[in-house]
Amino acid sequence: MNKRWPGLLLTLAMLTGCDDQHILERTGFCHTISYDLLPDHNFKIGLSVPKADPNSKTDREVLQAIAHSSKDSQPKLVRQTSLLLVNGQLRNLLFSLPLAEGGLLDQMDTLSRDPSIPPKVKITLADGDAYDLLKKNYKEHPRTDRYIYTLLEKEASYQTVPEATLYEFIRDYYDDGIDPIAPIIKDAGDTITVSGVGLFRGDRYITRIKPDDLHILALLRHNLRHADMTIHLASEGQHKELITFNYLKSDRKIDVLRDKSGKPVVMIHIKAFGSVLEYIGKLKLHSDADRNTLLQQAARHLESRAEEMIKFMQDNKVDSIGIGAYVRNSMSYASWKKLDWYEEYAHLTVKCKVDLNIVNSGQTL
Amino acid sequence: MKEKLSAFHATILIYMTQVGVFSFSLPRMLAQHFGTNGWLAIFIMAAFVFLNTAIIAVVYRLSKGNSVFETLERSIPKIVLYPIYLFLCCFWVTIGCLAAKEYIFIFQIIAFPSTHPMIFMFIFCVLAYLLINQGIYNIAKVSTVFYIITVWILFLFFFYYHDFKWTRLTPFIFQGGSPDKIKGFFDVYPAFLGYELVILLFPYSDKKTHLMRTAFISCGLVTIVYAFIAFVSFGFFSLGYLKVLQYPILVLFAYVHLPLIERIENLLYGFLLFTTMITTVMNSWAAVEVGKRMFPKLKNAVLSFLIMLFGYVISFIPEVLMEAQRWLHYAAYIETGLAFGFPIALILLLLIQRSRGELQP
């Protein structure tokens, strides 16, 4: 009798597979979903699904539906394809800026509720119509959905454009001392390019950091591990002076001090090390005195740009680098709860101190 | 000579009985009830768990390791005991099967959502029945195997190192939670339950088992594991996010992204079946132990079958996850009361028996 049990159990276990079937060839793995807000407050939802069929002329299906919500669009999208659509391999969510301006919480709530959507799916903002961007094919580049994904992956790996995933966005939304951010991309004719990083207050898009300032944002927001950074010390007419750090490592430390009146003063210390493989200017890298002068100049330059960026964020009341978390941790819970943080933040004194170091300067003197 | 539980197997058995479905939502419950740094509440609860285990240790010492049923039957007439036995039998199998049903409901959030949950429940009950039939020694050995299958999952928690931030923990202690901390205590405490069943293991242990010492060790182990999971969750998610996450452990699993394979949460969650299985098996085994006192002539296999059948039928009642959760919460309140009340009552009884000279020297 005992020998029959395993067989019976195996049969029972196998029988469960007769229900809830997912056959690979008939399944469409959604790669990217785009969201646009229409004037009538409905959503235009776009969907890019890669196709594995070798007989097909195209390598993906792009579907579109007008709906009240993302789940509402599902049956409309399903009606347009022979594939069974699943979200398990979803890589990117593309939101148009007008939609993000109105707040993304409803979308985020639906997305995080759905267990089939991975928490590591990317959140990206689109300059212009998100669906048009997703639908367009770029001749010299891979499938557009994949193109956007690999572009952002590569940028994130070099830490120039911060990574924004569903998990990070929601976490920063719910945490009370930091605001979420997300990269912005745009159609640049024959290519797609990163046109900045969107800064949010809560779930609403407020403003953006321009592409040239992204390395400053990266330095302020987290520790860098292997970033590249060019600092333009002077660029008047023909006189150019610039220094490029490669494999830059940085450590960020935020201290909250009190001034005489008891108001918080935030000190951001950034210590960075990197190799210098390009320097254009009059100083000599092999001279200790020149190198120190250059590093001092570069550090002061970074400090002033960082403080400018923080001022810009304060004016827009977006705490994208998470100063609030440090201020919160420096005071009592009751005082923090009483505080109107965004008001306080707008008038906060924030100072930056940068310490740059050259690990090596390449093969020549 | 009759086989006795080894200290190692007993430790793992008690640990595996304790870890179950409650642990999946543990970080969220700590955040909701205790607020900032809610993970520290684990240590407060652990103090009560140790106190309760110490009370059981007194029972063990007073009864000299004899079966608690013998202690009861020595002084209380069977007509009074039978309804209590019947209640305990039904209650323990119910709590075991409710835990299983909740596990299945949670499983269906991520996989096989349209399959009837009672099909999974049937297979679960069959497996549980087969295990119960093998007796406590084999259950202990199987639980050791299950422990080895599941314990490596804890090492995945180092995967979250990069996204863990000390600033998210905040320096505040127990701020921003619900004002009713007592309710919070009773809602979270069931995550530790399972150690109280050690009271039924007395006859299956000898001096070498060091039963009570193993119970303390497993409670310590559970405390460390829970505190670790909760600590990582608080630094990984932030308080606000944790409060809205139904099952933070599932999201933690979903975040694991290996170079060649991703979305492994279905697999990882599948492994947790083993911890729930031991919780269900031990509760049902406890029910069978009580059942044996009522029907000593009934064959063990038949009794286990009837008890599991009862559990299976009972688990039809909660039709949705929320109901299963609510039922399990109510059952857990009673079990918490039992965990403290039953050994205290036994101590009183044993003291009376000792004063009457009924206990052997």
Side-chain angles (χ1 to χ4, degrees), chain A residues 66-354:
Chain A
I66 310 284
H68 296 289
S69 73
S70 62
K71 287 287 170 208
D72 183 39
S73 71
Q74 209 67 16
K76 295 175 185 173
L77 293 166
V78 167
R79 280 201 290 271
Q80 300 169 42
T81 176
S82 58
L83 301 169
L84 172 74
L85 298 177
V86 292
N87 290 325
Q89 292 297 318
L90 193 64
R91 297 303 162 106
N92 198 2
L93 300 164
L94 207 53
F95 295 96
S96 71
L97 285 179
L99 175 61
E101 277 165 8
L104 294 178
L105 188 61
D106 287 344
Q107 319 296 330
M108 294 297 167
D109 184 63
T110 309
L111 292 162
S112 59
R113 211 171 271 282
D114 186 345
S116 70
I117 292 177
K120 283 200 139 183
V121 62
K122 286 187 189 301
I123 304 290
T124 314
L125 301 173
D127 240 345
D129 194 291
Y131 174 71
D132 290 347
L133 182 69
L134 183 63
K135 191 175 168 50
K136 186 172 170 182
N137 290 315
Y138 296 83
K139 266 187 203 167
E140 291 172 15
H141 297 280
R143 231 178 45 222
T144 307
D145 49 11
R146 197 174 155 67
Y147 175 31
I148 299 171
Y149 178 74
T150 46
L151 172 79
L152 292 171
E153 270 287 287
K154 185 259 306 167
E155 290 290 309
S157 72
Y158 285 103
Q159 298 183 304
T160 37
V161 177
E163 195 168 26
T165 60
L166 182 63
Y167 149 75
E168 282 164 311
F169 192 96
I170 301 176
R171 180 198 66 199
D172 291 347
Y173 169 77
Y174 280 111
D175 198 359
D176 53 1
I178 189 165
D179 284 319
I181 58 171
I184 309 174
I185 54 169
K186 73 169 183 187
D187 173 18
D190 294 336
T191 56
I192 290 174
T193 179
V194 176
S195 60
V197 165
L199 310 181
F200 288 73
R201 188 189 312 133
D203 66 326
R204 286 167 193 269
Y205 166 81
I206 303 294
T207 184
R208 73 166 77 190
I209 298 288
K210 290 182 198 127
D212 290 344
D213 292 333
L214 290 184
H215 58 281
I216 306 281
L217 177 70
L219 269 179
L220 286 171
R221 195 168 155 103
H222 44 236
N223 295 338
L224 302 180
R225 283 290 155 259
H226 48 83
D228 294 346
M229 184 185 297
T230 301
I231 303 166
H232 296 267
L233 297 167
S235 55
E236 291 159 17
Q238 285 193 333
H239 173 64
K240 270 187 193 166
E241 190 174 11
L242 64 87
I243 179 168
T244 302
F245 284 89
N246 295 83
Y247 318 112
L248 192 82
K249 268 186 174 186
S250 76
D251 274 313
R252 183 201 71 164
K253 202 169 150 247
I254 298 183
D255 287 327
V256 180
L257 313 167
R258 301 274 155 187
D259 64 10
K260 282 175 191 166
S261 60
K263 281 198 161 190
V265 175
V266 176
M267 283 296 302
I268 303 177
H269 301 273
I270 296 164
K271 193 167 187 178
F273 294 84
S275 308
V276 173
L277 296 185
E278 183 180 62
Y279 167 67
I280 296 172
K282 287 174 184 165
L283 298 169
K284 299 293 171 204
L285 285 177
H286 63 267
S287 150
D288 283 350
D290 277 8
R291 204 168 53 235
N292 278 337
T293 313
L294 179 65
L295 285 175
Q296 288 301 323
Q297 276 181 15
R300 298 297 86 77
H301 179 83
L302 282 181
E303 280 168 11
S304 72
R305 284 188 61 193
E307 283 174 10
E308 264 172 44
M309 181 178 286
I310 293 164
K311 184 83 188 69
F312 171 73
M313 288 179 187
Q314 284 178 303
D315 291 343
N316 285 287
K317 293 184 180 171
V318 286
D319 184 9
S320 309
I321 52 178
I323 291 174
Y326 291 88
V327 174
R328 174 193 67 196
N329 293 355
S330 75
M331 58 207 306
S332 74
Y333 184 78
S335 321
W336 170 253
K337 280 287 151 191
K338 255 189 265 166
L339 192 74
D340 180 352
W341 167 238
Y342 286 112
E343 276 309 313
E344 178 76 20
Y345 175 65
H347 304 104
L348 199 67
T349 312
V350 184
K351 287 177 183 160
C352 232
K353 182 92 185 76
V354 177

Side-chain angles (χ1 to χ4, degrees), chain A residues 2 5 8-9 12-13 16-17 19-20 22 87-91 112-120 149 165-168 170-172 174-176 221-222 225 252 325-326 328-334 336-337, chain B residues 36 108-116 119-120 122-123 126-127 129-130 134 159 162-172 175-177 235-242 244 251 254-257 262-263 265:
Chain A
N2 273 345
W5 275 111
L8 180 67
L9 277 178
L12 280 173
T16 55
D19 202 2
D20 270 345
H22 290 270
N87 290 325
Q89 292 297 318
L90 193 64
R91 297 303 162 106
S112 59
R113 211 171 271 282
D114 186 345
S116 70
I117 292 177
K120 283 200 139 183
Y149 178 74
T165 60
L166 182 63
Y167 149 75
E168 282 164 311
I170 301 176
R171 180 198 66 199
D172 291 347
Y174 280 111
D175 198 359
D176 53 1
R221 195 168 155 103
H222 44 236
R225 283 290 155 259
R252 183 201 71 164
Y326 291 88
R328 174 193 67 196
N329 293 355
S330 75
M331 58 207 306
S332 74
Y333 184 78
W336 170 253
K337 280 287 151 191
Chain B
T36 50
Q108 289 197 296
I109 296 178
I110 53 173
F112 304 108
S114 57
T115 306
H116 198 289
I119 296 175
F120 288 115
F122 178 71
I123 296 169
V126 170
L127 282 171
Y129 168 71
L130 290 175
Q134 297 298 314
F159 195 87
H162 276 293
D163 284 295
F164 179 91
K165 284 247 161 58
W166 289 94
T167 43
R168 272 185 219 122
L169 289 174
T170 77
F172 316 125
Q175 302 286 339
F236 181 78
F237 288 116
S238 80
L239 176 71
Y241 192 14
L242 256 190
V244 298
V251 182
Y255 196 75
V256 176
H257 181 104
E262 56 180 306
R263 307 309 312 275
E265 69 266 30

Side-chain angles (χ1 to χ4, degrees), chain B residues 36-203:
Chain B
T36 50
N37 285 309
W39 60 278
L40 287 169
I42 291 285
F43 295 106
I44 298 171
M45 265 165 254
F48 284 88
V49 173
F50 281 109
L51 174 72
N52 199 171
T53 315
I55 295 171
I56 297 171
V58 174
V59 179
Y60 186 67
R61 181 155 289 191
L62 283 175
S63 67
K64 298 186 174 59
N66 287 320
S67 161
V68 289
F69 299 119
E70 282 172 18
T71 307
L72 287 170
E73 285 162 17
R74 203 177 295 138
S75 305
I76 303 170
K78 284 198 170 176
I79 194 140
V80 180
L81 276 180
Y82 270 36
I84 300 173
Y85 281 170
L86 190 66
F87 164 76
L88 283 178
C89 179
C90 296
F91 177 70
W92 273 329
V93 71
T94 304
I95 208 167
C97 287
L98 280 177
K101 186 82 186 267
E102 188 175 341
Y103 173 85
I104 288 162
F105 274 136
I106 301 170
F107 180 68
Q108 289 197 296
I109 296 178
I110 53 173
F112 304 108
S114 57
T115 306
H116 198 289
M118 291 315 283
I119 296 175
F120 288 115
M121 191 65 200
F122 178 71
I123 296 169
F124 199 100
C125 285
V126 170
L127 282 171
Y129 168 71
L130 290 175
L131 254 178
I132 296 161
N133 249 349
Q134 297 298 314
I136 190 69
Y137 306 111
N138 288 317
I139 295 175
K141 284 169 197 161
V142 168
S143 73
T144 310
V145 175
F146 284 1
Y147 173 76
I148 295 164
I149 294 175
T150 51
V151 72
W152 61 271
I153 292 175
L154 282 176
F155 291 101
L156 283 180
F157 277 75
F158 292 103
F159 195 87
Y160 311 111
Y161 173 76
H162 276 293
D163 284 295
F164 179 91
K165 284 247 161 58
W166 289 94
T167 43
R168 272 185 219 122
L169 289 174
T170 77
F172 316 125
I173 309 284
F174 301 159
Q175 302 286 339
S178 69
D180 192 353
K181 296 278 186 286
I182 306 290
K183 187 181 179 299
F185 178 88
F186 283 106
D187 278 352
V188 182
Y189 193 81
F192 283 92
L193 287 177
Y195 65 86
E196 74 285 1
L197 295 180
V198 78
I199 209 161
L200 302 179
L201 293 176
F202 292 174

